[in-house]
């Protein structure tokens, strides 16, 4: 909970500093037992925050397809530490005394804290590639917003959904797994050395490095499990859910058999082999459930981890104490602990727990959670939400039975967009003619049914070919889910005509083209509003939940977003008899949307609010009346957003002034920038204005830039979805071969 409130990085640092400092103070004087107990209690309290904080940090930084190996690698350090401890500490105690163990641990902890303080950073911003992929700890798809969400000066705070967490079957499945794993782990880590010494009559010092093998095996198998899990998921060999179940079940069953067989082995090599198998497969099983906190609730991963880790800690307390009592009873019955019968119940109990967990948890309630594409609907911290995500499934589907493809392939185009338009922040955008992205989509039998594969990306080397982290891929998947497509795999090619981070709706164009292409491939069953919602899945992932780019990219013309909950879109028809040109000047400078959004004020004064509202009204009126002069004046009048963003774009203020002086009716930042957009009603005049703006960028901002003049992509009476080149499938075509390639202008009333 602390990690979610103030940040996992800070809580992790404080935890390490506290327990490291306390280790320095641990006394071994028998007359100071109270101080010893208090010191050890503080160590336990401090260490209790470590794993929830780790999960909070990983949920913020690591994308879903890398989470298994990231969690495995991070947490496997404790197994490596246990292995090194078994190797080094007996000799350290012999030559330096017991106090040296605590001093060594404290020194290592302080050293780690200094390194963490120096190199660790706060939750990532959008310019970091890992952050963009991870979605800042957000689930891949937006979840319902919490009515308790409120904005503070320092950012967003959300009431933690304790009721949903505590009554969630997936959460309890994780709790059961954590209890079982830690019961077996703590029993072995605390009592295995005793078993070697008293059960097998072996000397730990004489065993040499062999005694560290069980713990070293945990380190190895934990990382193997993480790598295997991510490979199975990214290569689509298994779904996320099946992968987690597979590793968890295999790991726990093999570990259970090895645990129950351990007392049978009476030699050093046999016991080490059996205990290594038991601990190794326990670690493999942990790779199947340790990442589930981020699967089911990435925003609350640290909190869910805290809940489940509490069960793990209780398992350690119960297991270690119960084992001690069992051994005391066995010592009375058998006079010593050297017989196999003395240890049979010690290792059989965790083995039976692993088997019972399989029957009671894995097959009944465990893994009823959704994959990263279908998170359980814990409240999100954003006040905007997708209406059709209120049901249990991630998307509503439009067809009771699965659709057949109408075409074998389609090629779609989606235009660039200018959004915000001064005072129209997040609720007004327009499509730009002749500039945009293309998506080619085809039915591909080599792609797993229900999946999308991105086979080629041209025009940009920065985009991920993983459809889960590509704007076109996310929108295509969303559209397939809405259409209930499960039996066909699709191959997608993306041709980027828009630069990334330009303020021209680059991500929206890719998403719009992909959503339209999937819809057309299966007979155009979805309406415009549903296609916008599918495209919004991509926008929410990469730049935030705003429709002022995706809506005009799909609908064309000017579009007013009347409401986000529920989503209501209103096309604004610009008069056909009036010309409108956008002068677009894009400098060689990238302005990521999330970075530009971070610059926005958290509070605004009433005078500025009233002013922007009046100018937004004037902007809408000017669009409907075809008043280009009034449109330009209103577009230039923003007093809330532009004053905060313009200083972040070198030379922007001078560029705006140059545009107005050259005759533009108005000028502002397009979207989040850095492109500057001016409006005019004459193309030749627009070219002159563009040249002046280019000169201003170079002189004042020291940035090279390119200018172009484009018309409004207008629509009269209909909503233009896209232009598609479609190849008819043999099943649906009744025309001659000469008509197999057709061009469609798709429109929706």
């Amino acid at each position: 909970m602390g990690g979610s409130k103030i940040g996992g990085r800070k809580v992790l640092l404080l935890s390490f500093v506290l327990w490291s400092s306390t280790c320095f103070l641990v006394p071994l004087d028998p007359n100071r037992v109270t101080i010893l107990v208090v010191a050890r209690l503080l160590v336990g309290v401090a260490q209790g925050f470590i794993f929830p904080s780790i999960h909070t940090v990983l949920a913020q930084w690591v994308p879903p397809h890398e989470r298994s190996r990231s969690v495995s690698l991070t947490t496997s350090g404790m197994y490596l530490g246990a292995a090194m401890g078994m190797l080094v500490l007996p000799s350290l105690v012999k030559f330096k005394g017991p106090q040296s163990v605590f001093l060594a641990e404290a020194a290592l902890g302080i050293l780690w804290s200094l390194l963490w303080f120096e190199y660790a950073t706060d939750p990532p911003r959008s310019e970091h590639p890992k952050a963009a992929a991870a979605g800042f700890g957000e689930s891949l798809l937006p979840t319902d917003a919490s009515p308790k969400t409120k904005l503070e000066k320092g950012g967003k705070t959300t009431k933690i959904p304790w009721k949903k967490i505590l009554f969630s079957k997936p959460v309890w499945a994780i709790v059961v797994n954590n209890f079982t794993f830690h019961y077996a782990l703590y029993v072995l880590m605390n009592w295995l050395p005793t078993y070697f010494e008293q059960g097998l009559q072996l000397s730990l010092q004489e065993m040499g490095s062999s005694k560290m093998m069980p713990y070293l095996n945990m380190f190895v198998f934990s990382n193997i499990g993480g790598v295997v899990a991510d490979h199975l998921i990214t290569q689509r060999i298994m779904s996320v859910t099946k992968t987690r179940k597979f590793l968890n079940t295999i790991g726990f069953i093999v570990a259970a058999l090895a645990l129950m067989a351990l007392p049978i082995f009476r030699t050093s090599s046999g016991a080490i082999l059996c205990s290594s198998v038991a601990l190794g497969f326990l670690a493999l099983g942990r790779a199947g459930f340790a990442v589930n906190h981020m699967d089911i609730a990435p925003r609350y991963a640290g909190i869910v981890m805290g809940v489940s880790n509490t069960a793990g800690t209780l398992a350690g307390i119960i297991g270690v104490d119960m084992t001690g009592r069992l051994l005391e009873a066995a010592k009375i019955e058998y006079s010593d602990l050297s017989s196999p019968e003395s240890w049979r119940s010690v290792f059989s109990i965790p083995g039976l727990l692993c088997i019972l967990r399989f029957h009671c948890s894995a097959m009944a309630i465990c893994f009823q959670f959704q994959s990263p594409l279908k998170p359980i609907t814990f409240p999100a911290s954003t006040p905007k939400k997708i209406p059709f995500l209120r049901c249990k499934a991630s998307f509503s589907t439009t067809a009771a039975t699965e659709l057949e493809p109408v075409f074998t392939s389609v090629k779609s185009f989606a235009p660039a967009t200018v959004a915000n338009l001064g005072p129209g922040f997040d609720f007004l955008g327009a499509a730009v003619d002749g500039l945009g992205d293309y998506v080619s989509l085809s039915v591909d039998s080599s792609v797993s049914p229900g999946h999308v594969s991105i086979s080629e990306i041209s025009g940009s080397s920065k985009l991920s070919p993983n459809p889960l982290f590509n704007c076109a891929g996310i929108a295509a998947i969303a559209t397939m889910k809405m259409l209930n497509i499960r039996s066909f795999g699709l191959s997608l090619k993306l041709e980027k005509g828009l630069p990334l981070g330009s303020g021209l709706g680059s991500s929206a164009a890719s998403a719009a083209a992909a959503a339209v292409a999937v819809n057309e491939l299966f007979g155009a069953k979805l309406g415009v509003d549903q296609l916008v919602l599918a495209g919004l899945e991509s926008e929410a992932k990469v730049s935030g939940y705003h429709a002022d780019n995706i809506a005009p990219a799909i609908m064309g013309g000017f579009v007013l977003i009347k409401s986000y909950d529920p989503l209501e879109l209103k096309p604004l028809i610009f008069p056909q008899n009036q010309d409108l040109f956008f002068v677009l000047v894009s400098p060689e400078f990238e302005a990521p949307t999330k970075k530009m959004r971070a610059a926005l004020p958290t509070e605004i004064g009433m005078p500025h609010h009233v002013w922007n509202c009046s100018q937004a009204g004037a902007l809408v009126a000017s669009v409907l009346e075809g008043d280009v002069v009034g449109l330009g004046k209103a577009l230039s009048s923003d007093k809330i957003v532009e004053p905060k963003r313009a200083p972040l774009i070198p030379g922007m203020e001078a560029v705006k002034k140059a545009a107005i002086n050259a005759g533009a009716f108005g000028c502002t930042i397009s979207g989040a920038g850095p492109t500057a957009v001016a409006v005019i009603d004459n193309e030749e005049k627009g070219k002159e204005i563009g040249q002046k703006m280019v000169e201003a960028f170079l002189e004042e901002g020291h940035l090279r830039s390119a200018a172009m003049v484009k018309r409004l992509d207008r629509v009269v009476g209909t909503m233009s979805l896209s232009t598609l080149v479609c190849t008819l499938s043999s099943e649906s075509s009744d025309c001659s071969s000469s008509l197999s390639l057709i061009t469609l202008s798709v429109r929706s009333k």
Side-chain angles (χ1 to χ4, degrees):
M1 179 175 173
S4 296
K5 291 284 188 181
I6 66 175
R9 180 184 69 89
K10 295 177 182 177
V11 174
L12 199 56
L13 178 62
L14 291 174
S15 299
F16 267 82
V17 169
L18 177 59
W19 77 256
S20 301
S21 302
T22 307
C23 279
F24 273 120
L25 306 176
V26 173
L28 298 182
D29 187 340
N31 297 321
R32 304 172 68 186
V33 175
T34 302
I35 298 178
L36 173 63
V37 171
V38 171
R40 297 306 296 166
L41 179 64
L42 288 175
V43 169
V45 169
Q47 290 184 338
F49 290 105
I50 290 177
F51 281 101
S53 299
I54 288 174
H55 276 68
T56 298
V57 171
L58 292 178
Q60 293 167 333
W61 277 100
V62 181
H65 72 294
E66 295 179 2
R67 285 176 178 167
S68 296
R69 61 180 179 269
S70 297
V71 171
S72 296
L73 179 61
T74 304
T75 58
S76 67
M78 64 180 178
Y79 312 137
L80 186 60
M84 296 304 297
M86 285 292 289
L87 181 65
V88 175
L89 293 184
S91 299
L92 191 63
V93 171
K94 180 179 179 180
F95 294 107
K96 297 294 184 180
Q99 181 70 23
S100 62
V101 174
F102 298 102
L103 293 176
E105 289 180 349
L108 288 173
I110 292 297
L111 177 61
W112 183 93
S113 300
L114 292 174
L115 293 173
W116 183 256
F117 179 79
E118 178 67 22
Y119 296 108
T121 62
D122 285 314
R125 297 299 178 193
S126 60
E127 61 269 20
H128 196 287
K130 285 285 186 184
F136 297 87
E138 306 281 346
S139 52
L140 196 60
L141 303 180
T143 52
D144 287 343
S146 168
K148 303 291 185 182
T149 299
K150 59 180 180 179
L151 288 177
E152 301 280 343
K153 269 191 174 182
K156 298 179 180 179
T157 61
T158 311
K159 184 176 180 180
I160 298 170
W162 286 111
K163 185 176 180 181
K164 286 192 174 185
I165 291 174
L166 295 177
F167 287 92
S168 167
K169 287 183 179 181
V171 170
W172 277 101
I174 297 173
V175 168
V176 170
N177 276 282
N178 228 327
F179 183 92
T180 303
F181 171 82
H182 282 97
Y183 186 99
L185 177 65
Y186 282 124
V187 166
L188 286 171
M189 292 190 75
N190 283 274
W191 292 104
L192 192 58
T194 305
Y195 176 66
F196 287 146
E197 287 192 320
Q198 299 187 31
L200 301 179
Q201 304 296 307
L202 300 171
S203 169
L204 288 178
Q205 282 187 307
E206 293 176 359
M207 289 177 68
S209 60
S210 63
K211 61 182 176 288
M212 67 181 284
M213 290 307 298
Y215 307 104
L216 187 60
N217 211 40
M218 288 195 80
F219 172 78
V220 174
F221 270 73
S222 177
N223 286 286
I224 288 174
V227 172
V228 168
D230 285 341
H231 176 75
L232 292 175
I233 293 168
T234 56
Q235 297 300 313
R236 300 194 184 95
I237 298 171
M238 286 186 180
S239 66
V240 174
T241 303
K242 288 182 179 179
T243 298
R244 307 288 191 234
K245 292 171 69 174
F246 172 74
L247 288 175
N248 194 232
T249 301
I250 293 296
F252 275 46
I253 291 299
V254 175
L257 296 175
L259 283 167
M260 290 186 287
L262 184 57
I264 300 174
F265 293 87
R266 305 302 298 165
T267 64
S268 172
S269 57
I272 288 173
L273 174 63
C274 197
S275 58
S276 296
V277 171
L279 284 171
F281 276 87
L282 272 176
L284 186 74
R286 190 176 190 274
F289 76 86
V291 71
N292 296 153
H293 315 79
M294 290 181 277
D295 284 341
I296 68 170
R299 189 185 303 277
Y300 301 103
I303 295 170
V304 177
M305 180 61 192
V307 172
S308 67
N309 214 39
T310 301
T313 303
L314 289 174
I317 295 171
I318 295 170
V320 173
D321 180 69
M322 182 181 294
T323 301
R325 294 175 186 274
L326 289 172
L327 291 175
E328 286 292 332
K331 195 171 184 179
I332 294 173
E333 183 176 353
Y334 301 108
S335 72
D336 61 27
L337 299 177
S338 61
S339 66
E341 289 76 15
S342 303
W343 294 89
R344 196 174 306 281
S345 59
V346 170
F347 298 121
S348 294
I349 291 174
L352 289 172
L353 280 176
C354 289
I355 294 175
L356 287 174
R357 182 221 63 85
F358 169 70
H359 288 293
C360 299
S361 178
M363 301 305 292
I365 63 172
C366 189
F367 305 109
Q368 288 186 5
F369 54 78
Q370 313 295 335
S371 72
L373 279 174
K374 299 187 207 173
I376 57 176
T377 55
F378 289 171
S381 63
T382 172
K384 300 172 183 177
K385 53 188 177 180
I386 296 183
F388 60 83
L389 285 175
R390 290 173 180 163
C391 58
K392 183 178 180 182
S394 292
F395 296 95
S396 60
T397 56
T398 60
T401 58
E402 188 171 1
L403 299 171
E404 294 285 330
V406 177
F407 306 107
T408 56
S409 64
V410 298
K411 185 172 183 179
S412 64
F413 169 83
T417 50
V418 289
N420 296 339
L421 296 174
F425 179 74
D426 270 8
F427 64 82
L428 189 62
V432 177
D433 185 50
L435 184 67
D437 290 355
Y438 287 91
V439 164
S440 299
L441 193 72
S442 60
V443 178
D444 190 341
S445 59
S446 67
V447 179
S448 300
H451 290 79
V452 173
S453 173
I454 299 180
S455 59
E456 183 182 331
I457 301 175
S458 60
S460 175
S461 60
K462 295 183 178 181
L463 296 178
S464 170
N466 188 330
L468 296 178
F469 307 108
N470 182 288
C471 301
I474 296 170
I477 292 169
T479 310
M480 288 179 72
K481 288 182 179 293
M482 296 173 76
L483 290 168
N484 197 28
I485 305 302
R486 302 185 306 274
S487 301
F488 300 95
L490 304 181
S491 179
L492 184 151
K493 293 182 181 180
L494 174 61
E495 300 174 40
K496 288 296 297 179
L498 298 175
L500 305 182
S502 61
L504 293 173
S506 175
S507 60
S510 297
V516 169
V518 174
N519 188 42
E520 291 299 320
L521 193 71
F522 291 94
K525 301 297 182 182
L526 300 179
V528 170
D529 54 343
Q530 292 169 298
L531 290 173
V532 171
L533 287 170
L536 268 173
E537 298 305 325
S538 174
E539 290 292 86
K541 172 69 176 166
V542 299
S543 61
Y545 189 81
H546 53 88
D548 49 341
N549 286 112
I550 190 68
I554 290 177
M555 299 168 62
F558 285 94
V559 179
L560 172 69
I561 292 84
K562 294 175 61 178
S563 167
Y564 278 95
D565 181 22
L567 184 67
E568 293 185 36
L569 308 172
K570 176 68 176 178
L572 304 178
I573 309 304
F574 191 81
Q576 185 71 24
N577 59 356
Q578 176 64 53
D579 281 331
L580 175 61
F581 293 90
F582 296 112
V583 183
L584 304 169
V585 181
S586 300
E588 294 180 356
F589 180 80
E590 191 168 332
T593 300
K594 284 184 176 177
K595 178 180 179 180
M596 300 301 283
R597 282 184 170 266
L600 299 180
T602 56
E603 296 180 354
I604 58 174
M606 183 59 72
H608 284 175
H609 167 69
V610 172
W611 171 263
N612 264 43
C613 287
S614 66
Q615 294 307 301
L619 185 61
V620 171
S622 298
V623 170
L624 295 175
E625 294 172 357
D627 180 2
V628 184
V629 176
L631 189 157
K633 183 178 179 181
L635 177 140
S636 300
S637 64
D638 177 29
K639 290 187 177 182
I640 296 175
V641 177
E642 185 182 313
K644 295 294 183 181
R645 286 180 167 175
L648 301 180
I649 304 171
M652 177 57 73
E653 294 175 357
V655 169
K656 180 175 181 178
K657 183 177 180 181
I660 301 296
N661 291 341
F665 298 141
C667 180
T668 189
I669 302 171
S670 176
T675 295
V677 55
V679 292
I680 194 69
D681 58 359
N682 181 277
E683 185 173 8
E684 292 303 317
K685 183 65 175 176
K687 293 178 180 178
E688 296 175 11
I689 295 170
Q691 183 58 38
K692 295 296 183 182
M693 294 169 70
V694 168
E695 293 172 1
F697 259 130
L698 186 60
E699 292 174 6
E700 300 296 330
H702 306 291
L703 295 175
R704 289 184 296 180
S705 58
M708 50 188 162
V709 182
K710 298 291 182 180
R711 287 181 184 272
L712 169 70
D713 182 347
R714 70 174 75 227
V715 179
V716 180
T718 60
M719 291 174 282
S720 177
L721 294 181
S722 185
T723 300
L724 302 167
V725 179
C726 307
T727 304
L728 298 174
S729 65
S730 58
E731 293 86 348
S732 62
S733 176
D734 56 0
C735 55
S736 64
S737 58
S738 62
L739 296 177
S740 61
L741 188 65
I742 61 175
T743 301
L744 301 177
S745 179
V746 183
R747 295 179 179 272
S748 174
K749 297 284 179 136

